Amino acid sequence: MSMSSHAELRSRYEDFLRGERHNCVDRIVSAVDDYVHRVESVAAASSTNEKGGNNKSAATASGVAGGCPRVRISLGELRSYSTQLAQSLQHVSPLRHIRALEAACHAIASEERPGYDTKLTQTSSGSTLTSSQMKVSLAGPFSSQTDSPRTLTSSRLRHLVCVEGVATKVNSVKPKIVKSVHYNPSKSTHESREYVDASHPYLNLPVIDATGREMPDRLLTLTSSSYPTRDAENNPLETEFGLCEYADSQTVTLQEMPERAPHGQLPRSVELVLDKDLVDKIKPGDRVQIVGVYRALSGGMGAASIRSSFKTVVLVNNITALNRDVANLVFDSRDVHEIRTLSKRNDILDVLARSIAPSIHGHDVIKKALVLQLLSGVERNLENGTHLRGDVNILLVGDPSTAKSQLLRSAMTIAPLAVSTTGKGSSGVGLTAAVTSDPETRERRLEAGAMVLADRGLVCVDEFDKMSEVDRVAIHEAMEQQTVTISKAGIHASLNARCSVLAAANPVYGQYDGHRRPQENIGLPDSLLSRFDLLFIVLDQLDPTSDRRIAAHVLRGHRYRRPGAGFGVDTSTSSGYGFDDDSDSDGEDGADRISDLRKRSTSIWQKNHHKTAEVSQARMNSRRKNGRGNDSHTDEILCQDFLRKYLRFAKQRIVPVLTDGAREAIVSRYAEMRSRQDDRTLPITARSLETIIRLASAHAKARLSHTVDAEPDCSQAMDILSFALYHENKSIQSPDDSASDPATEEHSNKRLRVEDSAKMPKEPSLLNIGSKDLNTLQSVKDQIWDAVRNSDGQVSLEEIPIEDKVLKLKAISELSKEGRIMESDEVLYMV
């Protein structure tokens, strides 16, 4: 497309705006009327409060005075009018086209509302008329994928870009001189001078004269930033500051979203330049979508010291705030149907818990607590200004090598917005917010920390015990009030930090000492411990049975042979190793395997490779006991994508309300906990009462229930809280708690409380079998052992001709305990 003149571009844009298809004229008139109404309202309020000296009204009037009417134009509408014009606006000369588009809007606004571009501004010396023309904000869609600070390379210079990121550094708003007026006492005349800096949007474009014509031989160039003190004849000049024109200006650093940055690389950032009515629209930690022109600044403003290298910025044209759902989950009708069907299960919390970190053995109660943390409670903002947080904070304290860090990592992968940090690698201001100095302008600016950046998300703090006492105090306010207040270097601000905290720490003495109080082992003050809703003590006990189960569980995650491939190297893959795959199946032909793959690709369930014969037997008995013998998904886990969708759906769509029965149950259990408090337990405060409400509300969300009931919501919440406080689990269980994994549950309870191991349900063993059944069981064991030995060390369960499945599972369980075989995915291996 050949370069059109300003008059031609303006004419084409006027034709587009005057078209009746998109009602652009009505939008322009509405924008002008709204702006004039704001200016008149502020001027009237300022005049009314002038005698009282109301500084707030004066400040508001000053803020409106620096603005201008702004209309929103969609590129999709322009593209439907002329694809060539839209492409030129985006990629050829965006600033030149934006100037013509704004001139067309100004012409239409002047026709509909004559004299709109003059506004009344109250000043100390009287009223002053200044010019304020129409501005245009461009909106998408731009392309199939938006840009990020990492993708802004040299090929994007001088292009209209759409960038998404999180604001990390926000400088204060500063006025810059646009036009200065000077009085010449010698001649009794006034002289004016206009200023153009490197961030001026029309820099290096042809100058427009008073008639609206371009002057190709005259370009808008940089001017000096100093005030003239003498005229051309060396006569002194006096500056009339009341007649000078200023424009607000602000710079913001936009950083790449942490979850979108490549692993192992630091997030990139780009500087934004905002002016006039766009200033003060972004706070540190805000996730925004920016539309602007990406350009390099010349030497007048921030040129780099390296030769031929210039500073690049984005001249902002439009700002759109993004919500905190950065996972970009797309729900269809099938997903909603599956979510509502799954929520009707009585054991929904067990299903969600075993789907989190299936590679980690045990810790069933902790996994349930993580599910409730990801769902969170209900946030309340009372009429008197009180804020009651709904986020759940959890602290894991225990011996080394008890999967604390792995649980943090698993929660991060599931949470839609998560920020990870460590106690040693971040200070208190790094977690909350800090006031720093700009190295270029020497100005103070506000920089957001991890908890501010994770607003409406999850903060994972590993090695929490390595933080210093001064740094821990900085997060007290953020954990309870969920705000970060800054009062430093003349900057007073309050930032939102509405996030859940998941922290992991080691005991003071390296290993947990059971002879000391929990506070002495943890080494954290009660004021900080009370801000954690749940505190789990994870112990590493020396027990041969649990150690064998852990070893078998870990080894299943390191298998490299496919079932039925023999003990030789599987050469079916290019690397020589046949890694496990959910699609592995023996004895299937090609058509059956393809059909099975299609079913699994559309199913929300997936195989749990870590199940054992003991687990299968116990869950089969529980299904028969509870009348759910036809449930085929008891041993399976949810797919990770569907798990994220379920948690997101339940957290966003459900806002449960406490019932009268739930209130009575919470009050009675809270009073009981207060009466049981002693030196050997953690402190029970009023925050523990709010913890019960949060956990019960989160459990109601898991059921997609709009009411919090005493059963099962409050009972499950008290079950988890009692486990964290008293290391016991004695509250009323849900009807399907017996369907959980007894082997895993016993191991988790042994690692968390040894004194109550006798209360756990016992596994089936030889002590529960009569003498007659003992002979039958021994014969079945011999038959299974012979089948494994005669099949080169492995055989599938279907190949063993034993009709009594319960007896077969008992025999396999006994052989596994004896260390003779190992079972996984319904295949037996000789150890």
Side-chain angles (χ1 to χ4, degrees), residues 388-389 480 526-527 529-533 666-667 669-671 673-674 677 682-694 721 725:
L388 300 178
R389 64 179 173 93
E480 188 60 34
D526 290 347
S527 60
L529 290 179
S530 63
R531 284 171 166 80
F532 285 100
D533 299 283
I666 292 174
V667 170
R669 296 307 297 268
Y670 173 70
M673 287 192 306
R674 292 280 292 182
Q677 181 179 358
L682 296 173
I684 307 298
T685 63
R687 288 173 178 162
S688 303
L689 178 62
E690 297 182 354
T691 297
I692 304 175
I693 300 175
R694 295 187 194 103
L721 185 59
L725 291 175

Side-chain angles (χ1 to χ4, degrees), residues 110-384:
S110 299
E111 291 180 5
E112 300 292 334
R113 297 291 186 269
Y116 85 96
D117 55 336
T118 58
K119 61 180 182 295
L120 186 64
T121 303
Q122 296 293 333
T123 62
S124 59
S125 59
S127 60
T128 305
L129 291 176
T130 57
S131 176
S132 179
Q133 292 188 357
M134 174 75 67
K135 292 293 181 181
V136 173
S137 290
L138 298 175
F142 282 79
S143 60
S144 59
Q145 186 175 4
T146 58
D147 289 311
S148 70
R150 185 176 297 273
T151 59
L152 292 181
T153 58
S154 59
S155 60
R156 305 292 290 162
L157 285 172
R158 299 182 302 277
H159 285 217
L160 188 68
V161 296
C162 180
V163 190
E164 291 183 355
V166 54
T168 57
K169 303 174 184 177
V170 178
N171 289 343
S172 57
V173 179
K174 297 292 183 181
K176 65 177 181 180
I177 184 67
V178 176
K179 180 181 179 181
S180 63
V181 179
H182 308 274
Y183 175 70
N184 192 337
S186 303
K187 300 181 180 179
S188 299
T189 58
H190 284 85
E191 300 179 6
S192 63
R193 179 179 178 182
E194 296 183 354
Y195 299 84
V196 177
D197 61 357
S199 64
H200 198 284
Y202 305 149
L203 182 65
N204 295 329
L205 292 181
V207 177
I208 304 296
D209 59 9
T211 60
R213 287 185 176 183
E214 276 187 341
M215 304 173 64
D217 55 342
R218 184 181 174 188
L219 300 179
L220 193 66
T221 57
L222 288 174
T223 60
S224 175
S225 59
S226 59
Y227 279 170
T229 57
R230 294 183 178 275
D231 61 0
E233 300 177 359
N234 204 23
N235 295 319
L237 297 177
E238 299 177 359
T239 303
E240 297 286 352
F241 292 98
L243 301 179
C244 296
E245 294 184 13
Y246 301 89
D248 293 331
S249 180
Q250 187 182 26
T251 58
V252 176
T253 300
L254 189 72
Q255 188 181 87
E256 185 179 14
M257 295 185 184
E259 63 275 3
R260 298 184 184 179
H263 293 289
Q265 299 186 26
L266 295 176
R268 303 284 179 83
S269 60
V270 65
E271 187 171 316
L272 311 177
V273 177
L274 299 82
D275 58 358
K276 295 189 176 180
D277 60 316
L278 295 178
V279 300
D280 217 13
K281 293 293 182 66
I282 303 177
K283 301 187 302 295
D286 287 350
R287 292 172 178 261
V288 293
Q289 183 185 77
I290 299 296
V291 176
V293 179
Y294 186 54
R295 65 180 292 181
L297 298 183
S298 57
M301 179 179 176
S305 58
I306 304 176
R307 185 180 299 274
S308 302
S309 178
F310 298 91
K311 182 178 180 180
T312 55
V313 298
V314 175
L315 304 181
V316 179
N317 177 267
N318 189 19
I319 302 174
T320 304
L322 300 178
N323 56 18
R324 294 288 171 172
D325 186 7
V326 299
N328 295 326
L329 298 177
V330 179
F331 293 86
D332 54 20
S333 58
R334 177 179 172 274
D335 293 331
V336 176
H337 174 72
E338 294 286 356
I339 289 172
R340 297 195 177 278
T341 303
L342 184 64
S343 66
K344 298 178 182 179
R345 293 176 62 108
N346 295 329
D347 61 339
I348 179 59
L349 185 59
D350 295 327
V351 173
L352 297 175
R354 71 169 181 257
S355 301
I356 290 182
S359 61
I360 299 177
H361 187 266
H363 302 316
D364 286 358
V365 180
I366 298 180
K367 291 180 181 179
K368 291 181 181 179
L370 291 180
V371 172
L372 298 183
Q373 183 184 39
L374 294 174
L375 291 171
S376 74
V378 179
E379 180 182 345
R380 303 290 184 186
N381 293 309
L382 305 183
E383 295 180 357
N384 58 3

Side-chain angles (χ1 to χ4, degrees), residues 527-781:
S527 60
L528 182 58
L529 290 179
S530 63
R531 284 171 166 80
F532 285 100
D533 299 283
L534 296 173
L535 191 151
F536 293 101
I537 299 174
V538 190
L539 303 181
D540 185 11
Q541 299 292 341
L542 299 178
D543 183 73
T545 304
S546 62
D547 292 341
R548 181 179 292 276
R549 291 179 186 144
I550 293 176
H553 189 91
V554 173
L555 289 175
R556 289 188 197 96
H558 289 271
R559 286 183 305 142
Y560 60 87
R561 287 189 297 107
R562 293 190 179 185
F567 288 98
V569 177
D570 186 6
T571 58
S572 61
T573 58
S574 58
S575 61
Y577 294 93
F579 291 95
D580 286 340
D581 193 351
D582 288 345
S583 61
D584 295 341
S585 58
D586 299 333
E588 293 183 349
D589 55 13
D592 294 338
R593 183 166 182 173
I594 293 175
S595 176
D596 185 63
L597 286 175
R598 289 177 178 175
K599 289 181 180 179
R600 291 175 181 176
S601 62
T602 58
S603 176
I604 64 174
W605 301 94
Q606 67 182 18
K607 283 185 178 181
N608 185 6
H609 290 291
H610 300 282
K611 66 181 180 180
T612 61
E614 301 171 3
V615 175
S616 301
Q617 178 184 349
R619 289 182 177 173
M620 180 180 294
N621 294 336
S622 64
R623 289 199 303 268
R624 292 177 177 177
K625 181 179 179 181
N626 296 316
R628 295 188 293 107
N630 57 351
D631 188 1
S632 59
H633 301 302
T634 304
D635 291 333
E636 296 180 338
I637 60 177
L638 296 175
C639 298
Q640 294 297 301
D641 291 339
F642 181 78
L643 178 62
R644 296 188 187 96
K645 290 183 179 181
Y646 188 96
L647 296 176
R648 195 63 183 171
F649 184 89
K651 183 177 181 179
Q652 285 188 332
R653 306 291 181 87
I654 307 300
V655 184
V657 180
L658 287 172
T659 60
D660 294 337
R663 294 190 186 97
E664 295 177 0
I666 292 174
V667 170
S668 61
R669 296 307 297 268
Y670 173 70
E672 179 184 351
M673 287 192 306
R674 292 280 292 182
S675 63
R676 295 184 57 187
Q677 181 179 358
D678 54 27
D679 294 338
R680 303 298 301 175
T681 62
L682 296 173
I684 307 298
T685 63
R687 288 173 178 162
S688 303
L689 178 62
E690 297 182 354
T691 297
I692 304 175
I693 300 175
R694 295 187 194 103
L695 296 179
S697 302
H699 190 273
K701 286 185 177 182
R703 300 187 299 113
L704 300 187
S705 173
H706 293 280
T707 58
V708 180
D709 302 323
E711 290 291 338
D713 300 324
C714 294
S715 61
Q716 284 284 352
M718 288 304 308
D719 192 17
I720 297 175
L721 185 59
S722 299
F723 186 88
L725 291 175
Y726 311 112
H727 315 296
E728 63 185 16
N729 202 352
K730 302 191 334 185
S731 65
I732 301 175
Q733 295 182 353
S734 63
D736 293 307
D737 280 348
S738 58
S740 61
D741 186 347
T744 305
E745 189 70 26
E746 181 183 353
H747 164 66
S748 175
N749 294 335
K750 277 188 175 183
R751 300 175 74 90
L752 293 171
R753 61 192 193 284
V754 182
E755 61 274 16
D756 294 329
S757 60
K759 299 179 182 179
M760 295 305 300
K762 301 298 182 181
E763 295 179 350
S765 63
L766 293 175
L767 298 177
N768 302 326
I769 303 174
S771 60
K772 182 178 179 181
D773 296 334
L774 183 61
N775 297 329
T776 306
L777 178 63
Q778 185 62 38
S779 62
V780 173
K781 288 172 58 179

Side-chain angles (χ1 to χ4, degrees), residues 387 389 391 477-483 495-499:
H387 172 77
R389 64 179 173 93
D391 298 302
E477 179 194 4
M479 290 185 63
E480 188 60 34
Q481 281 74 35
Q482 295 193 313
T483 57
L495 306 178
N496 290 325
R498 298 160 295 185
C499 59

